[in-house]
Amino acid sequence: MDEEQDLAKQKAAAAAKAKAAALARKRAKEEGTENPSGEEDLAKQKAAAAAKAKAAALARKQAKEEGTENPPGEQDLAKQKAAAAAKAKAAALARKQAKEEGTENPPGEEDLAKQKAAAAAKAKAAALARKQAKEEGTENPSGEEGLAKQKAAAAAKAKAAALARKQKSAGSDADSEQAKAKAKAIAAAKAKAAAAAKTKATVEEMTEGATKNEPSPNQPKLNQIVSAIERHVGQDALIDHYINKLSKDVPTIVANPNTYYSIAKLLRYDEQLNFAYLSELHGTDFETHMEIYVHLHSFSMNQSVALKVKLDRAAPVIPSLVPLWTGANWPECEAYDLLGIDFREHPDLKRILLGDDWKGYPLRKDYQPYDVEV
């Protein structure tokens, strides 16, 4: 009895499921919108579930009427069997429909078909895009579009680089021109400065030459002094006489050591000469000889004169001028202290800067300190 009930339930479920599927197909045909494979599967599953639920309800109803409803364990088993049968029947029905429509595909082929459909849709979209591009006159396949973009970018980059080089070249040319202008200006300035220096040197040379050629304003006074010395002391009293251009055109006379004091006395007491003021007296070591320089001034003549005398370096001895000019006292002591020049008839010749026990004369060129540490 139980087996007959199960078979009846299965038949009823299959019939309901088939009826539901046929109804769904009919509706889809009428609406002209039959679902694709994925939606058909969903519809089939829904129909199967509805048929299963309907068959189960029908079976429960029949069991209640007969009063022979299965216990819970048997009910579950019956339900599983009914579900398996319904699922098998639905799968067979689906295969049958696929055969009738000529579109049955095993699971692997279904995936391939889906891929092909996707590829076809993509190709169709690409063809549509190309068609639109043609209509707009701007068709470029994706690869060509990328190439065109690259070419355009390269052209723009090359153009920018060329412009930059042109600007740089223009800047370089400007800098070059500016540098050339500066160089020319510097060269011109140098040439101008050189010309000015040359002109100045020429003028100075001409002036110096003219000055040399022109007699000194002190020349007549030098002639007067030399003439007086030659008359009163002797023709050979002077070794040399000249106008010192490097010292404000001072008349300079160089006396013989033997006539040094006599010339100084003439310069001091001659009424016309009257060199009453001794402003300077110092000694110098020239290594080959010693020299005394005396600077005198005459207020009556309003003129200065330089008296020089050369001495033997090994024995520098000369008469003192202190009897003629008292102001020669300390300068002669200084020359004695630092150079070792002996001034005869000096009233008090002594060291005034160094001690009496000092060894040597510091202003001599060959001076060697006695005590190196001092």
Side-chain angles (χ1 to χ4, degrees):
M1 184 69 180
D2 292 337
E3 292 179 359
E4 290 178 359
Q5 288 179 355
D6 292 337
L7 183 59
K9 289 178 181 179
Q10 292 174 4
K11 288 180 179 180
K17 189 173 182 181
K19 189 175 180 179
L23 181 60
R25 285 195 300 274
K26 185 177 179 181
R27 287 178 181 175
K29 286 181 180 180
E30 291 175 355
E31 295 173 359
T33 57
E34 188 172 3
N35 294 327
S37 59
E39 294 180 0
E40 285 179 358
D41 292 339
L42 182 60
K44 288 176 183 178
Q45 290 175 5
K46 287 182 179 179
K52 187 177 179 181
K54 191 173 182 181
L58 181 61
R60 283 195 298 273
K61 184 178 180 181
Q62 290 176 354
K64 283 182 181 180
E65 291 174 354
E66 294 174 359
T68 58
E69 187 173 3
N70 293 328
E74 291 181 358
Q75 285 180 4
D76 293 338
L77 181 61
K79 289 178 181 180
Q80 291 175 4
K81 288 181 179 179
K87 189 174 181 180
K89 190 170 183 180
L93 181 61
R95 285 195 297 273
K96 184 178 178 182
Q97 291 175 353
K99 284 182 180 180
E100 290 174 356
E101 296 173 0
T103 59
E104 182 179 10
N105 281 319
E109 293 181 359
E110 287 179 0
D111 294 337
L112 182 60
K114 289 179 181 179
Q115 293 175 3
K116 288 181 178 180
K122 190 174 181 181
K124 189 174 181 180
L128 180 61
R130 284 195 298 273
K131 184 177 179 182
Q132 292 176 353
K134 282 182 180 180
E135 291 175 356
E136 295 174 0
T138 58
E139 181 184 10
N140 272 320
S142 59
E144 293 180 0
E145 285 180 357
L147 183 60
K149 289 180 181 179
Q150 292 176 3
K151 287 182 178 180
K157 190 174 180 180
K159 190 174 181 179
L163 180 61
R165 284 196 299 271
K166 186 177 180 181
Q167 291 176 349
K168 186 176 180 181
S169 177
S172 299
D173 292 340
D175 292 341
S176 179
E177 293 296 329
Q178 189 175 6
K180 288 180 180 178
K182 286 183 179 178
K184 288 181 179 179
I186 292 171
K190 285 184 178 179
K192 189 175 181 180
K198 188 175 180 181
T199 303
K200 185 178 179 181
T202 304
V203 171
E204 289 179 354
E205 186 178 354
M206 291 174 65
T207 304
E208 185 179 355
T211 303
K212 286 182 179 180
N213 295 329
E214 291 179 0
S216 170
N218 293 331
Q219 188 65 42
K221 294 181 179 180
L222 176 61
N223 295 339
Q224 179 184 355
I225 295 169
V226 171
S227 178
I229 292 172
E230 289 178 349
R231 283 197 316 269
H232 294 88
V233 180
Q235 295 290 329
D236 57 349
L238 295 176
I239 297 176
D240 194 8
H241 58 85
Y242 54 89
I243 295 293
N244 191 345
K245 295 287 186 181
L246 300 178
S247 182
K248 299 180 181 179
D249 283 3
V250 175
T252 303
I253 55 177
V254 182
N256 191 309
N258 297 327
T259 59
Y260 167 71
Y261 186 81
S262 300
I263 293 172
K265 187 176 181 180
L266 175 66
L267 295 174
R268 171 66 181 86
Y269 293 113
D270 186 271
E271 293 181 357
Q272 293 181 350
L273 301 179
N274 193 21
F275 287 94
Y277 177 62
L278 184 148
S279 63
E280 182 180 354
L281 187 152
H282 65 263
T284 306
D285 180 10
F286 286 95
E287 294 186 285
T288 57
H289 63 278
M290 294 285 186
E291 183 176 279
I292 297 295
Y293 177 92
V294 183
H295 194 86
L296 304 172
H297 185 75
S298 172
F299 293 100
S300 59
M301 293 180 64
N302 191 23
Q303 181 61 48
S304 296
V305 68
L307 172 62
K308 292 183 178 182
V309 61
K310 296 180 180 180
L311 307 176
D312 182 9
R313 192 171 184 276
V317 180
I318 198 74
S320 173
L321 298 182
V322 174
L324 303 176
W325 294 281
T326 307
N329 186 356
W330 285 95
E332 288 182 352
C333 287
E334 182 182 19
Y336 165 74
D337 191 5
L338 301 179
L339 289 167
I341 299 175
D342 184 12
F343 294 90
R344 291 178 305 176
E345 300 180 7
H346 188 284
D348 187 19
L349 192 62
K350 61 183 178 180
R351 287 186 181 270
I352 59 174
L353 299 175
L354 305 174
D356 293 337
D357 58 346
W358 189 272
K359 305 294 182 181
Y361 305 100
L363 289 187
R364 288 201 176 193
K365 300 295 178 64
D366 57 355
Y367 172 71
Q368 294 293 332
Y370 177 75
D371 187 351
V372 179
E373 295 181 359
V374 176

PDB file of all heavy atoms in Angstrom, residues 312-344:
ATOM      1  N   ASP A 312     136.760 108.139   4.278  1.00  0.00           N
ATOM      2  CA  ASP A 312     137.275 106.773   4.218  1.00  0.00           C
ATOM      3  C   ASP A 312     136.531 105.929   5.244  1.00  0.00           C
ATOM      4  O   ASP A 312     136.465 106.252   6.425  1.00  0.00           O
ATOM      5  CB  ASP A 312     138.774 106.793   4.515  1.00  0.00           C
ATOM      6  CG  ASP A 312     139.393 105.401   4.412  1.00  0.00           C
ATOM      7  OD1 ASP A 312     138.680 104.474   3.946  1.00  0.00           O
ATOM      8  OD2 ASP A 312     140.560 105.242   4.798  1.00  0.00           O
ATOM      9  N   ARG A 313     135.962 104.803   4.787  1.00  0.00           N
ATOM     10  CA  ARG A 313     135.137 103.974   5.682  1.00  0.00           C
ATOM     11  C   ARG A 313     135.978 103.332   6.775  1.00  0.00           C
ATOM     12  O   ARG A 313     135.498 103.119   7.902  1.00  0.00           O
ATOM     13  CB  ARG A 313     134.410 102.894   4.873  1.00  0.00           C
ATOM     14  CG  ARG A 313     133.317 102.172   5.627  1.00  0.00           C
ATOM     15  CD  ARG A 313     132.510 101.285   4.688  1.00  0.00           C
ATOM     16  NE  ARG A 313     131.411 100.660   5.382  1.00  0.00           N
ATOM     17  CZ  ARG A 313     131.498  99.544   6.097  1.00  0.00           C
ATOM     18  NH1 ARG A 313     132.675  98.923   6.223  1.00  0.00           N
ATOM     19  NH2 ARG A 313     130.439  99.032   6.701  1.00  0.00           N
ATOM     20  N   ALA A 314     137.214 103.008   6.461  1.00  0.00           N
ATOM     21  CA  ALA A 314     138.070 102.348   7.452  1.00  0.00           C
ATOM     22  C   ALA A 314     138.471 103.312   8.580  1.00  0.00           C
ATOM     23  O   ALA A 314     138.600 102.902   9.736  1.00  0.00           O
ATOM     24  CB  ALA A 314     139.307 101.789   6.773  1.00  0.00           C
ATOM     25  N   ALA A 315     138.640 104.620   8.251  1.00  0.00           N
ATOM     26  CA  ALA A 315     139.011 105.613   9.268  1.00  0.00           C
ATOM     27  C   ALA A 315     138.267 106.906   8.999  1.00  0.00           C
ATOM     28  O   ALA A 315     138.827 107.880   8.476  1.00  0.00           O
ATOM     29  CB  ALA A 315     140.517 105.847   9.265  1.00  0.00           C
ATOM     30  N   PRO A 316     136.954 106.929   9.319  1.00  0.00           N
ATOM     31  CA  PRO A 316     136.136 108.105   9.033  1.00  0.00           C
ATOM     32  C   PRO A 316     136.408 109.227  10.067  1.00  0.00           C
ATOM     33  O   PRO A 316     135.827 109.215  11.160  1.00  0.00           O
ATOM     34  CB  PRO A 316     134.709 107.576   9.145  1.00  0.00           C
ATOM     35  CG  PRO A 316     134.797 106.427  10.092  1.00  0.00           C
ATOM     36  CD  PRO A 316     136.149 105.830   9.934  1.00  0.00           C
ATOM     37  N   VAL A 317     137.257 110.156   9.661  1.00  0.00           N
ATOM     38  CA  VAL A 317     137.593 111.265  10.556  1.00  0.00           C
ATOM     39  C   VAL A 317     137.388 112.569   9.816  1.00  0.00           C
ATOM     40  O   VAL A 317     137.779 112.699   8.648  1.00  0.00           O
ATOM     41  CB  VAL A 317     139.051 111.157  11.038  1.00  0.00           C
ATOM     42  CG1 VAL A 317     139.386 112.317  11.971  1.00  0.00           C
ATOM     43  CG2 VAL A 317     139.310 109.829  11.728  1.00  0.00           C
ATOM     44  N   ILE A 318     136.757 113.547  10.477  1.00  0.00           N
ATOM     45  CA  ILE A 318     136.444 114.828   9.853  1.00  0.00           C
ATOM     46  C   ILE A 318     136.383 115.902  10.952  1.00  0.00           C
ATOM     47  O   ILE A 318     135.998 115.604  12.081  1.00  0.00           O
ATOM     48  CB  ILE A 318     135.111 114.754   9.073  1.00  0.00           C
ATOM     49  CG1 ILE A 318     135.003 115.911   8.074  1.00  0.00           C
ATOM     50  CG2 ILE A 318     133.926 114.707  10.004  1.00  0.00           C
ATOM     51  CD1 ILE A 318     135.878 115.759   6.864  1.00  0.00           C
ATOM     52  N   PRO A 319     136.711 117.145  10.647  1.00  0.00           N
ATOM     53  CA  PRO A 319     136.622 118.201  11.664  1.00  0.00           C
ATOM     54  C   PRO A 319     135.182 118.447  12.106  1.00  0.00           C
ATOM     55  O   PRO A 319     134.244 118.314  11.322  1.00  0.00           O
ATOM     56  CB  PRO A 319     137.204 119.433  10.969  1.00  0.00           C
ATOM     57  CG  PRO A 319     138.077 118.880   9.913  1.00  0.00           C
ATOM     58  CD  PRO A 319     137.393 117.632   9.441  1.00  0.00           C
ATOM     59  N   SER A 320     134.981 118.796  13.350  1.00  0.00           N
ATOM     60  CA  SER A 320     133.656 119.097  13.884  1.00  0.00           C
ATOM     61  C   SER A 320     133.226 120.494  13.456  1.00  0.00           C
ATOM     62  O   SER A 320     134.042 121.414  13.316  1.00  0.00           O
ATOM     63  CB  SER A 320     133.675 119.026  15.417  1.00  0.00           C
ATOM     64  OG  SER A 320     132.447 119.458  15.951  1.00  0.00           O
ATOM     65  N   LEU A 321     131.910 120.634  13.225  1.00  0.00           N
ATOM     66  CA  LEU A 321     131.335 121.934  12.857  1.00  0.00           C
ATOM     67  C   LEU A 321     130.720 122.654  14.066  1.00  0.00           C
ATOM     68  O   LEU A 321     130.123 123.714  13.897  1.00  0.00           O
ATOM     69  CB  LEU A 321     130.269 121.743  11.772  1.00  0.00           C
ATOM     70  CG  LEU A 321     130.727 121.153  10.434  1.00  0.00           C
ATOM     71  CD1 LEU A 321     129.556 121.073   9.455  1.00  0.00           C
ATOM     72  CD2 LEU A 321     131.863 121.969   9.840  1.00  0.00           C
ATOM     73  N   VAL A 322     130.883 122.105  15.239  1.00  0.00           N
ATOM     74  CA  VAL A 322     130.317 122.729  16.438  1.00  0.00           C
ATOM     75  C   VAL A 322     130.872 124.141  16.650  1.00  0.00           C
ATOM     76  O   VAL A 322     130.111 125.045  17.028  1.00  0.00           O
ATOM     77  CB  VAL A 322     130.554 121.845  17.683  1.00  0.00           C
ATOM     78  CG1 VAL A 322     130.086 122.563  18.958  1.00  0.00           C
ATOM     79  CG2 VAL A 322     129.832 120.516  17.535  1.00  0.00           C
ATOM     80  N   PRO A 323     132.178 124.416  16.359  1.00  0.00           N
ATOM     81  CA  PRO A 323     132.662 125.795  16.528  1.00  0.00           C
ATOM     82  C   PRO A 323     131.961 126.783  15.600  1.00  0.00           C
ATOM     83  O   PRO A 323     131.893 127.972  15.913  1.00  0.00           O
ATOM     84  CB  PRO A 323     134.149 125.677  16.192  1.00  0.00           C
ATOM     85  CG  PRO A 323     134.507 124.264  16.498  1.00  0.00           C
ATOM     86  CD  PRO A 323     133.303 123.487  16.120  1.00  0.00           C
ATOM     87  N   LEU A 324     131.417 126.293  14.492  1.00  0.00           N
ATOM     88  CA  LEU A 324     130.720 127.181  13.555  1.00  0.00           C
ATOM     89  C   LEU A 324     129.222 127.257  13.849  1.00  0.00           C
ATOM     90  O   LEU A 324     128.633 128.338  13.769  1.00  0.00           O
ATOM     91  CB  LEU A 324     130.945 126.717  12.121  1.00  0.00           C
ATOM     92  CG  LEU A 324     132.416 126.614  11.666  1.00  0.00           C
ATOM     93  CD1 LEU A 324     132.489 126.044  10.257  1.00  0.00           C
ATOM     94  CD2 LEU A 324     133.080 127.983  11.742  1.00  0.00           C
ATOM     95  N   TRP A 325     128.604 126.102  14.113  1.00  0.00           N
ATOM     96  CA  TRP A 325     127.164 126.030  14.418  1.00  0.00           C
ATOM     97  C   TRP A 325     126.985 125.174  15.675  1.00  0.00           C
ATOM     98  O   TRP A 325     127.291 123.978  15.689  1.00  0.00           O
ATOM     99  CB  TRP A 325     126.388 125.392  13.271  1.00  0.00           C
ATOM    100  CG  TRP A 325     126.367 126.202  12.000  1.00  0.00           C
ATOM    101  CD1 TRP A 325     125.595 127.277  11.721  1.00  0.00           C
ATOM    102  CD2 TRP A 325     127.179 125.973  10.851  1.00  0.00           C
ATOM    103  NE1 TRP A 325     125.841 127.761  10.470  1.00  0.00           N
ATOM    104  CE2 TRP A 325     126.827 126.974   9.901  1.00  0.00           C
ATOM    105  CE3 TRP A 325     128.195 125.047  10.515  1.00  0.00           C
ATOM    106  CZ2 TRP A 325     127.425 127.070   8.650  1.00  0.00           C
ATOM    107  CZ3 TRP A 325     128.770 125.136   9.270  1.00  0.00           C
ATOM    108  CH2 TRP A 325     128.402 126.139   8.351  1.00  0.00           C
ATOM    109  N   THR A 326     126.528 125.745  16.685  1.00  0.00           N
ATOM    110  CA  THR A 326     126.347 124.995  17.937  1.00  0.00           C
ATOM    111  C   THR A 326     125.349 123.852  17.769  1.00  0.00           C
ATOM    112  O   THR A 326     125.431 122.823  18.425  1.00  0.00           O
ATOM    113  CB  THR A 326     125.856 125.950  19.048  1.00  0.00           C
ATOM    114  OG1 THR A 326     126.741 127.063  19.138  1.00  0.00           O
ATOM    115  CG2 THR A 326     125.783 125.250  20.382  1.00  0.00           C
ATOM    116  N   GLY A 327     124.415 124.051  16.839  1.00  0.00           N
ATOM    117  CA  GLY A 327     123.402 123.006  16.604  1.00  0.00           C
ATOM    118  C   GLY A 327     123.977 121.715  16.045  1.00  0.00           C
ATOM    119  O   GLY A 327     123.263 120.714  15.944  1.00  0.00           O
ATOM    120  N   ALA A 328     125.273 121.688  15.675  1.00  0.00           N
ATOM    121  CA  ALA A 328     125.883 120.456  15.152  1.00  0.00           C
ATOM    122  C   ALA A 328     126.315 119.514  16.259  1.00  0.00           C
ATOM    123  O   ALA A 328     126.747 118.382  15.982  1.00  0.00           O
ATOM    124  CB  ALA A 328     127.067 120.816  14.272  1.00  0.00           C
ATOM    125  N   ASN A 329     126.179 119.948  17.520  1.00  0.00           N
ATOM    126  CA  ASN A 329     126.675 119.160  18.650  1.00  0.00           C
ATOM    127  C   ASN A 329     126.033 117.779  18.714  1.00  0.00           C
ATOM    128  O   ASN A 329     126.693 116.743  18.575  1.00  0.00           O
ATOM    129  CB  ASN A 329     126.431 119.948  19.943  1.00  0.00           C
ATOM    130  CG  ASN A 329     127.057 119.276  21.155  1.00  0.00           C
ATOM    131  OD1 ASN A 329     127.615 118.185  21.082  1.00  0.00           O
ATOM    132  ND2 ASN A 329     126.988 119.955  22.294  1.00  0.00           N
ATOM    133  N   TRP A 330     124.747 117.709  18.924  1.00  0.00           N
ATOM    134  CA  TRP A 330     124.072 116.419  19.085  1.00  0.00           C
ATOM    135  C   TRP A 330     124.022 115.600  17.788  1.00  0.00           C
ATOM    136  O   TRP A 330     124.217 114.377  17.835  1.00  0.00           O
ATOM    137  CB  TRP A 330     122.666 116.651  19.631  1.00  0.00           C
ATOM    138  CG  TRP A 330     122.663 116.998  21.094  1.00  0.00           C
ATOM    139  CD1 TRP A 330     122.652 118.234  21.620  1.00  0.00           C
ATOM    140  CD2 TRP A 330     122.715 116.070  22.169  1.00  0.00           C
ATOM    141  NE1 TRP A 330     122.697 118.189  22.988  1.00  0.00           N
ATOM    142  CE2 TRP A 330     122.729 116.847  23.360  1.00  0.00           C
ATOM    143  CE3 TRP A 330     122.769 114.684  22.290  1.00  0.00           C
ATOM    144  CZ2 TRP A 330     122.786 116.276  24.625  1.00  0.00           C
ATOM    145  CZ3 TRP A 330     122.809 114.133  23.561  1.00  0.00           C
ATOM    146  CH2 TRP A 330     122.815 114.892  24.703  1.00  0.00           C
ATOM    147  N   PRO A 331     123.810 116.206  16.623  1.00  0.00           N
ATOM    148  CA  PRO A 331     123.853 115.380  15.401  1.00  0.00           C
ATOM    149  C   PRO A 331     125.206 114.703  15.198  1.00  0.00           C
ATOM    150  O   PRO A 331     125.255 113.549  14.738  1.00  0.00           O
ATOM    151  CB  PRO A 331     123.574 116.385  14.291  1.00  0.00           C
ATOM    152  CG  PRO A 331     122.761 117.435  14.944  1.00  0.00           C
ATOM    153  CD  PRO A 331     123.323 117.544  16.339  1.00  0.00           C
ATOM    154  N   GLU A 332     126.322 115.384  15.526  1.00  0.00           N
ATOM    155  CA  GLU A 332     127.626 114.746  15.382  1.00  0.00           C
ATOM    156  C   GLU A 332     127.822 113.644  16.412  1.00  0.00           C
ATOM    157  O   GLU A 332     128.419 112.587  16.097  1.00  0.00           O
ATOM    158  CB  GLU A 332     128.727 115.799  15.515  1.00  0.00           C
ATOM    159  CG  GLU A 332     128.818 116.722  14.310  1.00  0.00           C
ATOM    160  CD  GLU A 332     129.947 117.734  14.421  1.00  0.00           C
ATOM    161  OE1 GLU A 332     130.571 117.831  15.494  1.00  0.00           O
ATOM    162  OE2 GLU A 332     130.209 118.427  13.403  1.00  0.00           O
ATOM    163  N   CYS A 333     127.316 113.846  17.630  1.00  0.00           N
ATOM    164  CA  CYS A 333     127.392 112.772  18.638  1.00  0.00           C
ATOM    165  C   CYS A 333     126.595 111.541  18.194  1.00  0.00           C
ATOM    166  O   CYS A 333     127.006 110.399  18.399  1.00  0.00           O
ATOM    167  CB  CYS A 333     126.869 113.291  19.984  1.00  0.00           C
ATOM    168  SG  CYS A 333     127.982 114.433  20.831  1.00  0.00           S
ATOM    169  N   GLU A 334     125.463 111.780  17.560  1.00  0.00           N
ATOM    170  CA  GLU A 334     124.647 110.663  17.048  1.00  0.00           C
ATOM    171  C   GLU A 334     125.380 109.908  15.947  1.00  0.00           C
ATOM    172  O   GLU A 334     125.389 108.667  15.919  1.00  0.00           O
ATOM    173  CB  GLU A 334     123.308 111.194  16.511  1.00  0.00           C
ATOM    174  CG  GLU A 334     122.368 110.104  16.005  1.00  0.00           C
ATOM    175  CD  GLU A 334     121.084 110.674  15.431  1.00  0.00           C
ATOM    176  OE1 GLU A 334     121.057 111.873  15.088  1.00  0.00           O
ATOM    177  OE2 GLU A 334     120.099 109.919  15.308  1.00  0.00           O
ATOM    178  N   ALA A 335     126.004 110.642  15.004  1.00  0.00           N
ATOM    179  CA  ALA A 335     126.761 109.990  13.935  1.00  0.00           C
ATOM    180  C   ALA A 335     127.936 109.202  14.506  1.00  0.00           C
ATOM    181  O   ALA A 335     128.264 108.112  14.015  1.00  0.00           O
ATOM    182  CB  ALA A 335     127.253 111.029  12.940  1.00  0.00           C
ATOM    183  N   TYR A 336     128.536 109.723  15.552  1.00  0.00           N
ATOM    184  CA  TYR A 336     129.636 109.005  16.212  1.00  0.00           C
ATOM    185  C   TYR A 336     129.108 107.757  16.902  1.00  0.00           C
ATOM    186  O   TYR A 336     129.713 106.670  16.815  1.00  0.00           O
ATOM    187  CB  TYR A 336     130.313 109.930  17.228  1.00  0.00           C
ATOM    188  CG  TYR A 336     131.197 109.210  18.212  1.00  0.00           C
ATOM    189  CD1 TYR A 336     132.438 108.702  17.818  1.00  0.00           C
ATOM    190  CD2 TYR A 336     130.789 109.019  19.531  1.00  0.00           C
ATOM    191  CE1 TYR A 336     133.258 108.031  18.711  1.00  0.00           C
ATOM    192  CE2 TYR A 336     131.608 108.336  20.429  1.00  0.00           C
ATOM    193  CZ  TYR A 336     132.829 107.849  20.014  1.00  0.00           C
ATOM    194  OH  TYR A 336     133.633 107.168  20.908  1.00  0.00           O
ATOM    195  N   ASP A 337     127.951 107.862  17.582  1.00  0.00           N
ATOM    196  CA  ASP A 337     127.387 106.755  18.349  1.00  0.00           C
ATOM    197  C   ASP A 337     126.964 105.593  17.453  1.00  0.00           C
ATOM    198  O   ASP A 337     127.207 104.428  17.769  1.00  0.00           O
ATOM    199  CB  ASP A 337     126.200 107.276  19.152  1.00  0.00           C
ATOM    200  CG  ASP A 337     125.695 106.291  20.181  1.00  0.00           C
ATOM    201  OD1 ASP A 337     126.322 105.235  20.340  1.00  0.00           O
ATOM    202  OD2 ASP A 337     124.658 106.547  20.815  1.00  0.00           O
ATOM    203  N   LEU A 338     126.340 105.894  16.305  1.00  0.00           N
ATOM    204  CA  LEU A 338     125.740 104.843  15.468  1.00  0.00           C
ATOM    205  C   LEU A 338     126.612 104.426  14.291  1.00  0.00           C
ATOM    206  O   LEU A 338     126.433 103.331  13.754  1.00  0.00           O
ATOM    207  CB  LEU A 338     124.376 105.316  14.952  1.00  0.00           C
ATOM    208  CG  LEU A 338     123.351 105.665  16.040  1.00  0.00           C
ATOM    209  CD1 LEU A 338     122.055 106.153  15.407  1.00  0.00           C
ATOM    210  CD2 LEU A 338     123.078 104.462  16.940  1.00  0.00           C
ATOM    211  N   LEU A 339     127.517 105.316  13.850  1.00  0.00           N
ATOM    212  CA  LEU A 339     128.352 104.996  12.681  1.00  0.00           C
ATOM    213  C   LEU A 339     129.852 104.959  12.994  1.00  0.00           C
ATOM    214  O   LEU A 339     130.634 104.469  12.174  1.00  0.00           O
ATOM    215  CB  LEU A 339     128.098 106.015  11.571  1.00  0.00           C
ATOM    216  CG  LEU A 339     126.736 105.903  10.873  1.00  0.00           C
ATOM    217  CD1 LEU A 339     126.478 107.142  10.028  1.00  0.00           C
ATOM    218  CD2 LEU A 339     126.663 104.654  10.005  1.00  0.00           C
ATOM    219  N   GLY A 340     130.222 105.520  14.124  1.00  0.00           N
ATOM    220  CA  GLY A 340     131.653 105.518  14.491  1.00  0.00           C
ATOM    221  C   GLY A 340     132.473 106.574  13.784  1.00  0.00           C
ATOM    222  O   GLY A 340     133.695 106.435  13.651  1.00  0.00           O
ATOM    223  N   ILE A 341     131.840 107.662  13.288  1.00  0.00           N
ATOM    224  CA  ILE A 341     132.580 108.752  12.641  1.00  0.00           C
ATOM    225  C   ILE A 341     133.194 109.652  13.729  1.00  0.00           C
ATOM    226  O   ILE A 341     132.490 110.087  14.646  1.00  0.00           O
ATOM    227  CB  ILE A 341     131.642 109.570  11.724  1.00  0.00           C
ATOM    228  CG1 ILE A 341     131.071 108.664  10.613  1.00  0.00           C
ATOM    229  CG2 ILE A 341     132.389 110.749  11.119  1.00  0.00           C
ATOM    230  CD1 ILE A 341     130.048 109.348   9.735  1.00  0.00           C
ATOM    231  N   ASP A 342     134.448 109.913  13.572  1.00  0.00           N
ATOM    232  CA  ASP A 342     135.166 110.709  14.580  1.00  0.00           C
ATOM    233  C   ASP A 342     135.212 112.169  14.139  1.00  0.00           C
ATOM    234  O   ASP A 342     135.713 112.471  13.056  1.00  0.00           O
ATOM    235  CB  ASP A 342     136.586 110.171  14.749  1.00  0.00           C
ATOM    236  CG  ASP A 342     137.345 110.897  15.842  1.00  0.00           C
ATOM    237  OD1 ASP A 342     136.701 111.646  16.610  1.00  0.00           O
ATOM    238  OD2 ASP A 342     138.565 110.731  15.908  1.00  0.00           O
ATOM    239  N   PHE A 343     134.613 113.039  14.960  1.00  0.00           N
ATOM    240  CA  PHE A 343     134.601 114.482  14.672  1.00  0.00           C
ATOM    241  C   PHE A 343     135.674 115.150  15.540  1.00  0.00           C
ATOM    242  O   PHE A 343     135.499 115.287  16.767  1.00  0.00           O
ATOM    243  CB  PHE A 343     133.208 115.085  14.963  1.00  0.00           C
ATOM    244  CG  PHE A 343     132.123 114.558  14.039  1.00  0.00           C
ATOM    245  CD1 PHE A 343     131.389 113.431  14.359  1.00  0.00           C
ATOM    246  CD2 PHE A 343     131.871 115.219  12.845  1.00  0.00           C
ATOM    247  CE1 PHE A 343     130.411 112.961  13.498  1.00  0.00           C
ATOM    248  CE2 PHE A 343     130.883 114.756  11.983  1.00  0.00           C
ATOM    249  CZ  PHE A 343     130.153 113.630  12.306  1.00  0.00           C
ATOM    250  N   ARG A 344     136.746 115.535  14.885  1.00  0.00           N
ATOM    251  CA  ARG A 344     137.849 116.164  15.621  1.00  0.00           C
ATOM    252  C   ARG A 344     137.439 117.523  16.153  1.00  0.00           C
ATOM    253  O   ARG A 344     136.673 118.236  15.510  1.00  0.00           O
ATOM    254  CB  ARG A 344     139.075 116.309  14.726  1.00  0.00           C
ATOM    255  CG  ARG A 344     139.751 114.982  14.367  1.00  0.00           C
ATOM    256  CD  ARG A 344     140.916 115.199  13.452  1.00  0.00           C
ATOM    257  NE  ARG A 344     140.497 115.941  12.243  1.00  0.00           N
ATOM    258  CZ  ARG A 344     141.368 116.321  11.313  1.00  0.00           C
ATOM    259  NH1 ARG A 344     142.664 116.078  11.434  1.00  0.00           N
ATOM    260  NH2 ARG A 344     140.936 116.969  10.241  1.00  0.00           N
TER     261      ARG A 344
END
